[in-house]
Amino acid sequence: MSYIEELQQLLTPKQVSTNETTLEQHGRDEGYHPLSLPDAVVFPASTEDVQKVVAFANERRIPLIPFGLGTSLEGHVIPYQGGISLDLSLMNKVLDVRPQDFLVKVQPGLTRTQLNKELKKHGLFFSVDPGADATLGGMAATNASGTTSVKYGIMRDQVKDLEVVLPDGKVIHTGGMAAKSSSGLHLNGLIVGSEGTLGVITELTLQVYGIPEAIMAGRATFPTVQAAVDAVTMIRTSGISIARMELVDARSIQQVNKINELHYAERPTLFLEFHGNEAGLKQDVAFAQEIVNDFGCEELQFELDTKAQAQLWEVRHNLAYAFIHGSPGRKMMVTDVSVPLTELAGAIQDTRAAIEKEDLDGAVLGHVGDGNYHALFMIDMKDEEEVARAKRLNEHIVHYALARGGTCTGEHGVGVGKAIYQRQEHGAAFEVMKAIKTALDPNGIMNPGKIFID
Ligand SMILES: Cc1cc2nc3c(=O)[nH]c(=O)nc-3n(C[C@H](O)[C@H](O)[C@H](O)COP(=O)(O)OP(=O)(O)OC[C@H]3O[C@@H](n4cnc5c(N)ncnc54)[C@H](O)[C@@H]3O)c2cc1C
């Protein structure tokens, strides 16, 4: 009997697929890394199912790759050594909402928009919003962040507890429901960002927030990217409680206009959002207005009704898709460094010069409120010379950031794409990380070939 038939007996035949389309869907992500198929895709319906599959894979030394929605960008979910893709989409329930504790307990296959739909009924929202509609399990595993992280924090800040199935099949909880704790090592922090290399997340307890009484959103255009970034730095240092502060360069706005039939000014633009109560908001907005004017803001336009605000952020969220849909046959490469705020303007300037030197059609955008920005290109993977130029540019941007105390990935994670920079970025601490990996996963079954490659 093949191991796949054994798995079908262990769960149910319906939960184990070798359908070609299903294998392909689990052999790629949304980035440029090449396809590689798993042997089978397994759909667990409970923590017990996950335990059975993990213990089976561990005993047989079969690679096991947890899979949320496959929206990651650095080859995280691609099974380069074959094995089992463990798709958590059947485990997608909201288990408990505790409005007065500002907590929610969910299964890992639930997506952030599904969660927000449920939370809205309680006047609450979940803050982390990566550009794709990802699963909460995948977001925790990559330590995702998004447009609101400048105010509410990143995924690691929201996770209060995780239920995790370890490679030996044991189930642990990494935290609790208390608002604070000084007890034990910070296992939440360890598992968040571990990209399925240490275990499978089967339940998450997350911090949620009350929907703000008043929201104000708008766009500010500037003569140069430098002026926009300088305004960002000043807004941050002024202490204004801004909830979103996104930079989009002129090339990005051009693409947005083309795909969405809009007429935004094709200039470096900041998308801004303020959360608070009516009175506080008025003061914050007036102060921010003064600041952007000081940096040569050409046009500042606020959207007052919720529909127009939603459209503004839909445009921002769909920016990458504006490039994807506008470049059929090409693959997206997105750089993802984060630098200290004082290095941001120089970093973006250097990136723009490097894009021009490599003669690539690239956009610069990002969550600049927390020093995280992306250069985005659509590349023709059949054109070896173009691929080489794009990779050279990516590497240049990473080295620039690392030399200034930054990181090779602000939010997308390591996967295979950033694994080569781990030793350079972490030095001796990388050995500590490897020792933890070996202690928890001595047989190396969990998502092999990701993060830990040397
Ligand atoms: C257009 C676009 C825009 C994006 N914008 C952002 C952004 O603004 N910010 C950002 O942070 N990211 C962004 N991303 C990247 C991506 O959406 C995130 O990395 C997201 O967190 C991945 O979630 P997923 O459910 O798709 O996980 P997957 O891609 O399926 O998996 C990602 C990693 O998590 C592991 N994993 C998944 N589920 C589990 C589990 N239950 N237990 C253990 N490990 C697990 C996988 O093994 C893999 O290593 C963007 C992607 C796209 C395509």
Side-chain angles (χ1 to χ4, degrees), residues 77-300:
V77 289
I78 305 179
Y80 285 115
Q81 300 177 24
I84 301 164
S85 178
L86 190 75
D87 183 318
L88 292 135
S89 57
L90 297 182
M91 295 175 65
N92 65 348
K93 292 184 192 59
V94 176
L95 299 172
D96 190 16
V97 185
R98 298 172 63 111
Q100 277 152 357
D101 291 321
F102 294 96
L103 292 176
V104 62
K105 192 183 283 190
V106 301
Q107 289 187 310
L110 187 79
T111 70
R112 64 176 179 84
T113 53
Q114 289 168 338
L115 174 59
N116 271 323
K117 206 167 155 197
E118 180 61 29
L119 289 176
K120 203 171 174 190
K121 297 176 195 162
H122 304 269
L124 299 169
F125 77 104
F126 180 68
S127 60
V128 185
D129 64 339
D133 184 20
T135 66
L136 277 318
M139 288 166 62
T142 54
N143 192 20
S145 51
T147 63
T148 63
S149 299
V150 63
K151 179 172 173 73
Y152 298 97
I154 60 177
M155 201 62 196
R156 202 170 258 137
D157 300 316
Q158 319 306 330
V159 171
K160 296 293 158 199
D161 180 40
L162 296 172
E163 181 184 86
V164 182
V165 177
L166 295 177
D168 63 4
K170 254 192 230 102
V171 179
I172 60 162
H173 278 262
T174 57
M177 286 201 287
K180 53 189 262 191
S181 168
S182 296
S183 178
L185 299 185
H186 197 338
L187 296 187
N188 281 340
L190 175 67
I191 298 296
V192 175
S194 63
E195 302 182 2
T197 64
L198 301 180
V200 183
I201 300 165
T202 47
E203 211 175 273
L204 304 93
T205 301
L206 302 166
Q207 165 103 47
V208 295
Y209 300 88
I211 294 172
E213 181 192 310
I215 294 177
M216 188 86 126
R219 281 179 301 117
T221 58
F222 293 84
T224 60
V225 166
Q226 176 79 43
V229 172
D230 289 342
V232 165
T233 312
M234 188 51 80
I235 290 173
R236 286 285 275 145
T237 46
S238 72
I240 296 174
S241 169
I242 193 149
R244 288 167 148 172
M245 194 156 36
E246 297 284 304
L247 171 75
V248 178
D249 74 351
R251 174 68 187 89
S252 309
I253 296 283
Q254 192 188 31
Q255 192 69 12
V256 156
N257 281 345
K258 192 168 139 196
I259 298 291
N260 300 289
E261 294 178 15
L262 290 168
H263 303 282
Y264 289 171
E266 292 177 1
R267 307 290 278 164
T269 303
L270 289 180
F271 284 41
L272 304 164
E273 189 167 285
F274 302 83
H275 293 179
N277 57 35
E278 296 282 356
L281 214 61
K282 263 198 192 124
Q283 278 183 353
D284 283 349
V285 169
F287 194 11
Q289 209 156 353
E290 271 179 40
I291 294 174
V292 295
N293 286 340
D294 283 350
F295 289 93
C297 173
E298 295 168 335
E299 187 192 3
L300 178 61

Side-chain angles (χ1 to χ4, degrees), residues 30 65-73 76-77 88 108 129-132 134-135 137-139 141-146 195-196 199-201 320-321 324 332 367 411-412 447:
E30 299 261 0
I65 302 99
F67 187 98
L69 261 183
T71 68
S72 43
L73 296 163
H76 297 69
V77 289
L88 292 135
D129 64 339
T135 66
M139 288 166 62
T142 54
N143 192 20
S145 51
E195 302 182 2
V200 183
I201 300 165
Y321 292 110
I324 294 169
M332 180 169 71
H367 317 300
E411 57 180 19
H412 294 164
N447 207 0

Side-chain angles (χ1 to χ4, degrees), residues 416-427:
V416 290
K418 297 289 170 61
I420 49 169
Y421 305 114
Q422 292 305 289
R423 190 173 291 283
Q424 184 186 349
E425 180 167 341
H426 300 294

